[in-house]
Amino acid sequence: DIAHKTEAGGVRLRLGHAQAVRQAFDEVLASQQRALALRPHHAEALKHAASTLCESGRIAEGFAFYERLAAYAPVRERPIMSPHKLLHDAEQRAYLAEQTGQTADCEMLLHRGDGGRVAGAAINPDPEGAISRRWISSNPQIVVIDDFLTPNAFEKLRRFCLDSRVWERSYDGGYLGALPEQGFACPLLAQVAEELRSVYPGILADHPLHYLWGFKYDSNHSGIALHADKAAVNVNFWLTPDEANLDPQSGGLVVWDAAAPQDWDFRRYNGDTQACRDFLQRKGAKPVTIPYRCNRAVIFDSDLFHETDAIRFKDGYLNRRINITLLYGRRTAENR
């Protein structure tokens, strides 16, 4: 039977490719482990080991290397102290003092809240694969998921973001970033990243975790400018209560129905806002606006241009808009 032989041959090819990928990851990891045996605190080796483990599907192990990197840094590089970072840090110190009854004056000290895994699921299920089916049939590929995290996971992750002094990267748009190598790679986020691939296999089964970050925003600034990302699939979700948002029709995400050209390099599609806008205008692209909702996730093709919608949130530390982004897979022509 020719059809049967063709299908069997395809299965063998896929298995062979998967085995080759695993072997390549094992070889890279072995090299990194040798480097770490000689220099256990080597920052680049720790970061590459973390990334390699995550992309080989060993996310929890990868996050453990990110945590080693954050803990081993003997002197943390002092972040740029922009006005919005100074304001955030003052608000956070006051919040932590109120919570603990203690002051935390050392700006360089890594402090983290409880980011441990939760018992049971962290992500609500996708009954009968409905969301994965929506993804396959959508054009452009965008799906919106409400009640994304389970209640226990949501409360614990939000508390971790409030309690943890990991918001070190300052951006001109008025927001701060938390990166895995700077203390953001908590076990609960590893649990979320793992469950995403199992709950939404029709979206993420072929795409390993590439990277992740958190952003926290000032209510009086603009957010992230127009760009695309170096990945296959973006997972973006929000953690601030809805009552903090002064405009329920905005505050979320704008995703355009046009993808970054494959011949553009990262600096252009991720950093040249004017070139991105000129391209969208030439294409006659249309925006898809997803309003902000607490515990809402937006999953979309990473090649699609996107930007933060207008932000109008209440002042105050607990009202700051928080979002977390996980990138899966690599940006290649085959992902289109």
Side-chain angles (χ1 to χ4, degrees), residues 208-225:
L209 180 69
H210 176 46
Y211 199 55
L212 77 156
W213 58 74
F215 285 141
K216 194 186 286 189
Y217 300 77
D218 189 298
S219 61
N220 298 315
H221 289 76
S222 58
I224 303 171

Side-chain angles (χ1 to χ4, degrees), residues 1-14:
D1 179 44
I2 295 175
H4 176 75
K5 289 180 181 179
T6 301
E7 181 180 355
V11 169
R12 284 195 296 273
L13 283 172
R14 289 195 296 274

Side-chain angles (χ1 to χ4, degrees), residues 224-245:
I224 303 171
L226 184 68
H227 69 288
D229 284 306
K230 190 178 183 180
V233 180
N234 275 41
V235 179
N236 185 92
F237 59 97
W238 300 309
L239 296 178
T240 306
D242 286 334
E243 53 265 28
N245 183 13

